[in-house]
Amino acid sequence: MKIAVLGAGNMGASMLGGMFRSGLVKPADVTATVRSPERAVAMRKKLGIKVTAGGNRAAAAGADVVVIAVKPGTVPKVVEEISTALKPGQILLSLAAALPITVIEKRLQAPMAVFRAMPNIPVVVEEGAIALCANAEATKAQWETVTTLFRAVGVVCKVDEDMMDAVTALSGSGPAYVYLMIEAMIAGGVKMGLSREIATRLAEQTVLGAAKHVRESGLHPAILRDEVITPGGTTIIAMHELERNGLRSTLISAIESATRHAKEKARALVESIDQR
Ligand SMILES: NC(=O)c1ccc[n+]([C@@H]2O[C@H](COP(=O)([O-])OP(=O)(O)OC[C@H]3O[C@@H](n4cnc5c(N)ncnc54)[C@H](OP(=O)(O)O)[C@@H]3O)[C@@H](O)[C@H]2O)c1
């Protein structure tokens, strides 16, 4: 399978790195593009793949899967640039946040499979959370191809496109919420006299272990939480503090506000593209 990554910046390069490490994709089968020649040289060295500054049409023409990883506002221009080089049967895969599939479809010469993905940054350690949707042209086999690609760098969920703003708020921005929690747990440990190093190891492993426990047990987190609460014990004292200070409803509100913001941003992006 030949892959072209148009705009191999942070996200495009992170995904490729994970796919190479998994062995699913071979560097020889990938062509990438960036904007500046300096970046092309740097990316060539970093990933060991063919990277060109510009050259989107040539890269797209020779690929089975064309990944569009430029900034959302640049996507229409890139799609217009490659549209006459695309062939039926190819897969177009956009990573652009907030950009609806219809914006891409309007710029195509003929109908084709267009996927939209919302990955998050832990794809760099092959533990990303990736939400996927696609237009009606996407076949079962193409869904399988795209899902397999993303499985190399994380967990894949199929969603309706109108849920992408909620996905952005939950898993797209979510790593930042968890980093904040880890940071606060480290600070709590340090405040209570643990060395920074030990507090960091314990906090990060606690979050990793708890997440794995939720996944592997298949139980609701509230059940697992109850299991570690001893009557009159330490955990219930801490839980009371967290509930009193509204940790749970703060997180719910954070995701609600972020979803609303993502929706507004998407609307503004489409309006600005339409006015061009
Ligand atoms: N970063 C995240 O956590 C994240 C999460 C989910 C989705 N996304 C989406 O992923 C996309 C990329 O984000 P990013 O953070 O990776 O941005 P980025 O690091 O700025 O990468 C964008 C890349 O596009 C290249 N580029 C710009 N114009 C181009 C053109 N006309 N042709 C070919 N390449 C071009 C840039 O080249 P130069 O380097 O030479 O300027 C740069 O390497 C965005 O649409 C974003 O919404 C990102």
Side-chain angles (χ1 to χ4, degrees), residues 67-99:
V67 182
I68 304 184
V70 294
K71 292 283 189 199
T74 313
V75 175
K77 193 178 122 225
V78 169
V79 177
E80 280 160 16
E81 186 187 342
I82 64 172
S83 64
T84 53
L86 295 169
K87 297 178 290 287
Q90 280 179 306
I91 294 171
L92 205 50
L93 166 58
S94 164
L95 306 184
L99 193 93

PDB file of all heavy atoms in Angstrom, residues 67-99:
ATOM      1  N   VAL A  67      -3.151  11.096   2.586  1.00  0.00           N
ATOM      2  CA  VAL A  67      -3.451  11.685   3.889  1.00  0.00           C
ATOM      3  C   VAL A  67      -3.231  13.195   3.800  1.00  0.00           C
ATOM      4  O   VAL A  67      -2.156  13.637   3.384  1.00  0.00           O
ATOM      5  CB  VAL A  67      -2.531  11.100   4.990  1.00  0.00           C
ATOM      6  CG1 VAL A  67      -2.892  11.690   6.358  1.00  0.00           C
ATOM      7  CG2 VAL A  67      -2.616   9.579   5.013  1.00  0.00           C
ATOM      8  N   ILE A  68      -4.258  13.948   4.172  1.00  0.00           N
ATOM      9  CA  ILE A  68      -4.111  15.407   4.153  1.00  0.00           C
ATOM     10  C   ILE A  68      -3.907  15.865   5.589  1.00  0.00           C
ATOM     11  O   ILE A  68      -4.818  15.764   6.424  1.00  0.00           O
ATOM     12  CB  ILE A  68      -5.342  16.084   3.528  1.00  0.00           C
ATOM     13  CG1 ILE A  68      -5.562  15.508   2.128  1.00  0.00           C
ATOM     14  CG2 ILE A  68      -5.152  17.594   3.464  1.00  0.00           C
ATOM     15  CD1 ILE A  68      -6.680  16.159   1.373  1.00  0.00           C
ATOM     16  N   ALA A  69      -2.682  16.326   5.877  1.00  0.00           N
ATOM     17  CA  ALA A  69      -2.344  16.665   7.265  1.00  0.00           C
ATOM     18  C   ALA A  69      -1.897  18.116   7.403  1.00  0.00           C
ATOM     19  O   ALA A  69      -1.202  18.464   8.353  1.00  0.00           O
ATOM     20  CB  ALA A  69      -1.256  15.715   7.771  1.00  0.00           C
ATOM     21  N   VAL A  70      -2.299  18.959   6.444  1.00  0.00           N
ATOM     22  CA  VAL A  70      -2.003  20.392   6.565  1.00  0.00           C
ATOM     23  C   VAL A  70      -3.014  21.020   7.527  1.00  0.00           C
ATOM     24  O   VAL A  70      -3.981  20.380   7.928  1.00  0.00           O
ATOM     25  CB  VAL A  70      -2.060  21.118   5.186  1.00  0.00           C
ATOM     26  CG1 VAL A  70      -0.966  20.619   4.267  1.00  0.00           C
ATOM     27  CG2 VAL A  70      -3.436  20.951   4.533  1.00  0.00           C
ATOM     28  N   LYS A  71      -2.793  22.278   7.891  1.00  0.00           N
ATOM     29  CA  LYS A  71      -3.719  22.983   8.789  1.00  0.00           C
ATOM     30  C   LYS A  71      -5.098  23.078   8.109  1.00  0.00           C
ATOM     31  O   LYS A  71      -5.177  23.167   6.871  1.00  0.00           O
ATOM     32  CB  LYS A  71      -3.198  24.385   9.081  1.00  0.00           C
ATOM     33  CG  LYS A  71      -1.911  24.388   9.925  1.00  0.00           C
ATOM     34  CD  LYS A  71      -2.231  24.121  11.366  1.00  0.00           C
ATOM     35  CE  LYS A  71      -1.014  24.345  12.266  1.00  0.00           C
ATOM     36  NZ  LYS A  71      -1.180  23.681  13.575  1.00  0.00           N
ATOM     37  N   PRO A  72      -6.171  23.081   8.908  1.00  0.00           N
ATOM     38  CA  PRO A  72      -7.520  23.042   8.309  1.00  0.00           C
ATOM     39  C   PRO A  72      -7.765  24.095   7.229  1.00  0.00           C
ATOM     40  O   PRO A  72      -8.330  23.779   6.175  1.00  0.00           O
ATOM     41  CB  PRO A  72      -8.432  23.264   9.518  1.00  0.00           C
ATOM     42  CG  PRO A  72      -7.646  22.739  10.684  1.00  0.00           C
ATOM     43  CD  PRO A  72      -6.206  23.028  10.382  1.00  0.00           C
ATOM     44  N   GLY A  73      -7.311  25.324   7.444  1.00  0.00           N
ATOM     45  CA  GLY A  73      -7.559  26.393   6.474  1.00  0.00           C
ATOM     46  C   GLY A  73      -6.863  26.176   5.139  1.00  0.00           C
ATOM     47  O   GLY A  73      -7.253  26.749   4.116  1.00  0.00           O
ATOM     48  N   THR A  74      -5.821  25.328   5.141  1.00  0.00           N
ATOM     49  CA  THR A  74      -5.050  25.067   3.921  1.00  0.00           C
ATOM     50  C   THR A  74      -5.617  23.886   3.133  1.00  0.00           C
ATOM     51  O   THR A  74      -5.281  23.687   1.962  1.00  0.00           O
ATOM     52  CB  THR A  74      -3.560  24.771   4.296  1.00  0.00           C
ATOM     53  OG1 THR A  74      -3.128  25.756   5.219  1.00  0.00           O
ATOM     54  CG2 THR A  74      -2.639  24.777   3.114  1.00  0.00           C
ATOM     55  N   VAL A  75      -6.487  23.102   3.761  1.00  0.00           N
ATOM     56  CA  VAL A  75      -6.992  21.879   3.109  1.00  0.00           C
ATOM     57  C   VAL A  75      -7.682  22.174   1.765  1.00  0.00           C
ATOM     58  O   VAL A  75      -7.369  21.514   0.760  1.00  0.00           O
ATOM     59  CB  VAL A  75      -7.926  21.078   4.058  1.00  0.00           C
ATOM     60  CG1 VAL A  75      -8.552  19.886   3.338  1.00  0.00           C
ATOM     61  CG2 VAL A  75      -7.147  20.604   5.281  1.00  0.00           C
ATOM     62  N   PRO A  76      -8.609  23.167   1.684  1.00  0.00           N
ATOM     63  CA  PRO A  76      -9.274  23.386   0.389  1.00  0.00           C
ATOM     64  C   PRO A  76      -8.286  23.633  -0.741  1.00  0.00           C
ATOM     65  O   PRO A  76      -8.423  23.079  -1.835  1.00  0.00           O
ATOM     66  CB  PRO A  76     -10.141  24.630   0.645  1.00  0.00           C
ATOM     67  CG  PRO A  76     -10.389  24.617   2.119  1.00  0.00           C
ATOM     68  CD  PRO A  76      -9.140  24.058   2.738  1.00  0.00           C
ATOM     69  N   LYS A  77      -7.258  24.435  -0.447  1.00  0.00           N
ATOM     70  CA  LYS A  77      -6.252  24.748  -1.474  1.00  0.00           C
ATOM     71  C   LYS A  77      -5.523  23.469  -1.923  1.00  0.00           C
ATOM     72  O   LYS A  77      -5.318  23.247  -3.130  1.00  0.00           O
ATOM     73  CB  LYS A  77      -5.243  25.752  -0.860  1.00  0.00           C
ATOM     74  CG  LYS A  77      -4.339  26.400  -1.863  1.00  0.00           C
ATOM     75  CD  LYS A  77      -3.412  27.394  -1.191  1.00  0.00           C
ATOM     76  CE  LYS A  77      -2.006  27.012  -1.466  1.00  0.00           C
ATOM     77  NZ  LYS A  77      -0.997  26.983  -0.566  1.00  0.00           N
ATOM     78  N   VAL A  78      -5.160  22.644  -0.972  1.00  0.00           N
ATOM     79  CA  VAL A  78      -4.431  21.406  -1.305  1.00  0.00           C
ATOM     80  C   VAL A  78      -5.333  20.454  -2.093  1.00  0.00           C
ATOM     81  O   VAL A  78      -4.897  19.839  -3.068  1.00  0.00           O
ATOM     82  CB  VAL A  78      -3.871  20.742  -0.019  1.00  0.00           C
ATOM     83  CG1 VAL A  78      -3.342  19.339  -0.302  1.00  0.00           C
ATOM     84  CG2 VAL A  78      -2.771  21.607   0.581  1.00  0.00           C
ATOM     85  N   VAL A  79      -6.617  20.363  -1.699  1.00  0.00           N
ATOM     86  CA  VAL A  79      -7.527  19.463  -2.429  1.00  0.00           C
ATOM     87  C   VAL A  79      -7.724  19.969  -3.861  1.00  0.00           C
ATOM     88  O   VAL A  79      -7.709  19.177  -4.816  1.00  0.00           O
ATOM     89  CB  VAL A  79      -8.886  19.312  -1.693  1.00  0.00           C
ATOM     90  CG1 VAL A  79      -9.836  18.433  -2.507  1.00  0.00           C
ATOM     91  CG2 VAL A  79      -8.692  18.707  -0.305  1.00  0.00           C
ATOM     92  N   GLU A  80      -7.873  21.284  -4.011  1.00  0.00           N
ATOM     93  CA  GLU A  80      -8.026  21.838  -5.375  1.00  0.00           C
ATOM     94  C   GLU A  80      -6.790  21.518  -6.213  1.00  0.00           C
ATOM     95  O   GLU A  80      -6.883  21.153  -7.385  1.00  0.00           O
ATOM     96  CB  GLU A  80      -8.247  23.356  -5.307  1.00  0.00           C
ATOM     97  CG  GLU A  80      -9.692  23.709  -4.969  1.00  0.00           C
ATOM     98  CD  GLU A  80      -9.868  25.120  -4.434  1.00  0.00           C
ATOM     99  OE1 GLU A  80      -8.943  25.944  -4.597  1.00  0.00           O
ATOM    100  OE2 GLU A  80     -10.927  25.385  -3.835  1.00  0.00           O
ATOM    101  N   GLU A  81      -5.624  21.630  -5.565  1.00  0.00           N
ATOM    102  CA  GLU A  81      -4.357  21.384  -6.259  1.00  0.00           C
ATOM    103  C   GLU A  81      -4.247  19.928  -6.748  1.00  0.00           C
ATOM    104  O   GLU A  81      -3.773  19.677  -7.859  1.00  0.00           O
ATOM    105  CB  GLU A  81      -3.225  21.697  -5.261  1.00  0.00           C
ATOM    106  CG  GLU A  81      -1.831  21.634  -5.805  1.00  0.00           C
ATOM    107  CD  GLU A  81      -0.807  21.797  -4.682  1.00  0.00           C
ATOM    108  OE1 GLU A  81      -1.153  22.288  -3.580  1.00  0.00           O
ATOM    109  OE2 GLU A  81       0.347  21.414  -4.926  1.00  0.00           O
ATOM    110  N   ILE A  82      -4.716  18.979  -5.933  1.00  0.00           N
ATOM    111  CA  ILE A  82      -4.509  17.568  -6.302  1.00  0.00           C
ATOM    112  C   ILE A  82      -5.714  16.952  -7.014  1.00  0.00           C
ATOM    113  O   ILE A  82      -5.628  15.826  -7.496  1.00  0.00           O
ATOM    114  CB  ILE A  82      -4.181  16.699  -5.051  1.00  0.00           C
ATOM    115  CG1 ILE A  82      -5.365  16.672  -4.060  1.00  0.00           C
ATOM    116  CG2 ILE A  82      -2.903  17.174  -4.393  1.00  0.00           C
ATOM    117  CD1 ILE A  82      -5.179  15.681  -2.913  1.00  0.00           C
ATOM    118  N   SER A  83      -6.835  17.697  -7.076  1.00  0.00           N
ATOM    119  CA  SER A  83      -8.101  17.063  -7.491  1.00  0.00           C
ATOM    120  C   SER A  83      -8.009  16.360  -8.853  1.00  0.00           C
ATOM    121  O   SER A  83      -8.558  15.276  -9.020  1.00  0.00           O
ATOM    122  CB  SER A  83      -9.239  18.072  -7.487  1.00  0.00           C
ATOM    123  OG  SER A  83      -8.970  19.061  -8.435  1.00  0.00           O
ATOM    124  N   THR A  84      -7.305  16.973  -9.821  1.00  0.00           N
ATOM    125  CA  THR A  84      -7.255  16.340 -11.144  1.00  0.00           C
ATOM    126  C   THR A  84      -6.243  15.190 -11.195  1.00  0.00           C
ATOM    127  O   THR A  84      -6.171  14.462 -12.184  1.00  0.00           O
ATOM    128  CB  THR A  84      -6.925  17.370 -12.247  1.00  0.00           C
ATOM    129  OG1 THR A  84      -5.746  18.058 -11.859  1.00  0.00           O
ATOM    130  CG2 THR A  84      -8.066  18.347 -12.457  1.00  0.00           C
ATOM    131  N   ALA A  85      -5.460  15.040 -10.134  1.00  0.00           N
ATOM    132  CA  ALA A  85      -4.485  13.932 -10.101  1.00  0.00           C
ATOM    133  C   ALA A  85      -5.071  12.712  -9.397  1.00  0.00           C
ATOM    134  O   ALA A  85      -4.482  11.631  -9.435  1.00  0.00           O
ATOM    135  CB  ALA A  85      -3.219  14.383  -9.376  1.00  0.00           C
ATOM    136  N   LEU A  86      -6.233  12.872  -8.772  1.00  0.00           N
ATOM    137  CA  LEU A  86      -6.819  11.755  -8.011  1.00  0.00           C
ATOM    138  C   LEU A  86      -7.550  10.787  -8.932  1.00  0.00           C
ATOM    139  O   LEU A  86      -8.086  11.196  -9.965  1.00  0.00           O
ATOM    140  CB  LEU A  86      -7.788  12.293  -6.944  1.00  0.00           C
ATOM    141  CG  LEU A  86      -7.142  13.131  -5.839  1.00  0.00           C
ATOM    142  CD1 LEU A  86      -8.204  13.819  -5.000  1.00  0.00           C
ATOM    143  CD2 LEU A  86      -6.221  12.276  -4.956  1.00  0.00           C
ATOM    144  N   LYS A  87      -7.563   9.507  -8.514  1.00  0.00           N
ATOM    145  CA  LYS A  87      -8.233   8.482  -9.333  1.00  0.00           C
ATOM    146  C   LYS A  87      -9.272   7.756  -8.487  1.00  0.00           C
ATOM    147  O   LYS A  87      -9.114   7.652  -7.261  1.00  0.00           O
ATOM    148  CB  LYS A  87      -7.199   7.451  -9.815  1.00  0.00           C
ATOM    149  CG  LYS A  87      -6.126   8.035 -10.720  1.00  0.00           C
ATOM    150  CD  LYS A  87      -5.096   6.995 -11.137  1.00  0.00           C
ATOM    151  CE  LYS A  87      -4.171   6.518 -10.044  1.00  0.00           C
ATOM    152  NZ  LYS A  87      -3.156   7.430  -9.598  1.00  0.00           N
ATOM    153  N   PRO A  88     -10.312   7.214  -9.149  1.00  0.00           N
ATOM    154  CA  PRO A  88     -11.304   6.450  -8.385  1.00  0.00           C
ATOM    155  C   PRO A  88     -10.619   5.269  -7.694  1.00  0.00           C
ATOM    156  O   PRO A  88      -9.675   4.707  -8.239  1.00  0.00           O
ATOM    157  CB  PRO A  88     -12.284   5.953  -9.449  1.00  0.00           C
ATOM    158  CG  PRO A  88     -11.966   6.687 -10.699  1.00  0.00           C
ATOM    159  CD  PRO A  88     -10.586   7.213 -10.597  1.00  0.00           C
ATOM    160  N   GLY A  89     -11.073   4.933  -6.521  1.00  0.00           N
ATOM    161  CA  GLY A  89     -10.470   3.793  -5.808  1.00  0.00           C
ATOM    162  C   GLY A  89      -9.450   4.236  -4.775  1.00  0.00           C
ATOM    163  O   GLY A  89      -9.139   3.494  -3.845  1.00  0.00           O
ATOM    164  N   GLN A  90      -8.911   5.464  -4.958  1.00  0.00           N
ATOM    165  CA  GLN A  90      -7.985   5.976  -3.940  1.00  0.00           C
ATOM    166  C   GLN A  90      -8.782   6.390  -2.701  1.00  0.00           C
ATOM    167  O   GLN A  90      -9.988   6.662  -2.795  1.00  0.00           O
ATOM    168  CB  GLN A  90      -7.252   7.216  -4.467  1.00  0.00           C
ATOM    169  CG  GLN A  90      -6.086   6.916  -5.387  1.00  0.00           C
ATOM    170  CD  GLN A  90      -5.443   8.218  -5.874  1.00  0.00           C
ATOM    171  OE1 GLN A  90      -6.118   9.099  -6.415  1.00  0.00           O
ATOM    172  NE2 GLN A  90      -4.149   8.346  -5.701  1.00  0.00           N
ATOM    173  N   ILE A  91      -8.074   6.480  -1.595  1.00  0.00           N
ATOM    174  CA  ILE A  91      -8.710   6.942  -0.355  1.00  0.00           C
ATOM    175  C   ILE A  91      -8.127   8.300  -0.007  1.00  0.00           C
ATOM    176  O   ILE A  91      -6.905   8.476   0.019  1.00  0.00           O
ATOM    177  CB  ILE A  91      -8.412   5.951   0.800  1.00  0.00           C
ATOM    178  CG1 ILE A  91      -9.084   4.606   0.537  1.00  0.00           C
ATOM    179  CG2 ILE A  91      -8.859   6.538   2.140  1.00  0.00           C
ATOM    180  CD1 ILE A  91      -8.672   3.514   1.514  1.00  0.00           C
ATOM    181  N   LEU A  92      -9.021   9.246   0.268  1.00  0.00           N
ATOM    182  CA  LEU A  92      -8.585  10.563   0.735  1.00  0.00           C
ATOM    183  C   LEU A  92      -8.889  10.606   2.222  1.00  0.00           C
ATOM    184  O   LEU A  92     -10.018  10.344   2.638  1.00  0.00           O
ATOM    185  CB  LEU A  92      -9.382  11.629  -0.027  1.00  0.00           C
ATOM    186  CG  LEU A  92      -8.780  13.016  -0.198  1.00  0.00           C
ATOM    187  CD1 LEU A  92      -7.374  12.944  -0.732  1.00  0.00           C
ATOM    188  CD2 LEU A  92      -9.658  13.833  -1.144  1.00  0.00           C
ATOM    189  N   LEU A  93      -7.867  10.915   3.008  1.00  0.00           N
ATOM    190  CA  LEU A  93      -8.029  10.865   4.472  1.00  0.00           C
ATOM    191  C   LEU A  93      -7.585  12.196   5.071  1.00  0.00           C
ATOM    192  O   LEU A  93      -6.411  12.547   5.005  1.00  0.00           O
ATOM    193  CB  LEU A  93      -7.171   9.702   5.013  1.00  0.00           C
ATOM    194  CG  LEU A  93      -6.889   9.622   6.502  1.00  0.00           C
ATOM    195  CD1 LEU A  93      -8.177   9.556   7.301  1.00  0.00           C
ATOM    196  CD2 LEU A  93      -6.035   8.385   6.796  1.00  0.00           C
ATOM    197  N   SER A  94      -8.547  12.922   5.621  1.00  0.00           N
ATOM    198  CA  SER A  94      -8.225  14.230   6.196  1.00  0.00           C
ATOM    199  C   SER A  94      -8.063  14.136   7.709  1.00  0.00           C
ATOM    200  O   SER A  94      -8.903  13.543   8.393  1.00  0.00           O
ATOM    201  CB  SER A  94      -9.351  15.217   5.864  1.00  0.00           C
ATOM    202  OG  SER A  94      -9.244  16.356   6.694  1.00  0.00           O
ATOM    203  N   LEU A  95      -6.988  14.741   8.216  1.00  0.00           N
ATOM    204  CA  LEU A  95      -6.773  14.783   9.669  1.00  0.00           C
ATOM    205  C   LEU A  95      -7.187  16.139  10.226  1.00  0.00           C
ATOM    206  O   LEU A  95      -7.040  16.397  11.415  1.00  0.00           O
ATOM    207  CB  LEU A  95      -5.290  14.555   9.993  1.00  0.00           C
ATOM    208  CG  LEU A  95      -4.616  13.308   9.424  1.00  0.00           C
ATOM    209  CD1 LEU A  95      -3.182  13.222   9.935  1.00  0.00           C
ATOM    210  CD2 LEU A  95      -5.383  12.054   9.808  1.00  0.00           C
ATOM    211  N   ALA A  96      -7.674  17.013   9.343  1.00  0.00           N
ATOM    212  CA  ALA A  96      -7.921  18.399   9.756  1.00  0.00           C
ATOM    213  C   ALA A  96      -9.073  18.516  10.750  1.00  0.00           C
ATOM    214  O   ALA A  96     -10.182  18.064  10.477  1.00  0.00           O
ATOM    215  CB  ALA A  96      -8.215  19.245   8.520  1.00  0.00           C
ATOM    216  N   ALA A  97      -8.777  19.133  11.877  1.00  0.00           N
ATOM    217  CA  ALA A  97      -9.817  19.356  12.878  1.00  0.00           C
ATOM    218  C   ALA A  97     -10.837  20.342  12.324  1.00  0.00           C
ATOM    219  O   ALA A  97     -10.484  21.257  11.569  1.00  0.00           O
ATOM    220  CB  ALA A  97      -9.179  19.916  14.155  1.00  0.00           C
ATOM    221  N   ALA A  98     -12.080  20.143  12.660  1.00  0.00           N
ATOM    222  CA  ALA A  98     -13.173  21.091  12.373  1.00  0.00           C
ATOM    223  C   ALA A  98     -13.607  21.159  10.908  1.00  0.00           C
ATOM    224  O   ALA A  98     -14.586  21.820  10.602  1.00  0.00           O
ATOM    225  CB  ALA A  98     -12.806  22.503  12.852  1.00  0.00           C
ATOM    226  N   LEU A  99     -12.892  20.520  10.031  1.00  0.00           N
ATOM    227  CA  LEU A  99     -13.213  20.687   8.605  1.00  0.00           C
ATOM    228  C   LEU A  99     -14.153  19.581   8.110  1.00  0.00           C
ATOM    229  O   LEU A  99     -13.756  18.414   8.032  1.00  0.00           O
ATOM    230  CB  LEU A  99     -11.933  20.676   7.772  1.00  0.00           C
ATOM    231  CG  LEU A  99     -12.179  21.147   6.350  1.00  0.00           C
ATOM    232  CD1 LEU A  99     -11.920  22.637   6.229  1.00  0.00           C
ATOM    233  CD2 LEU A  99     -11.318  20.378   5.379  1.00  0.00           C
TER     234      LEU A  99
END
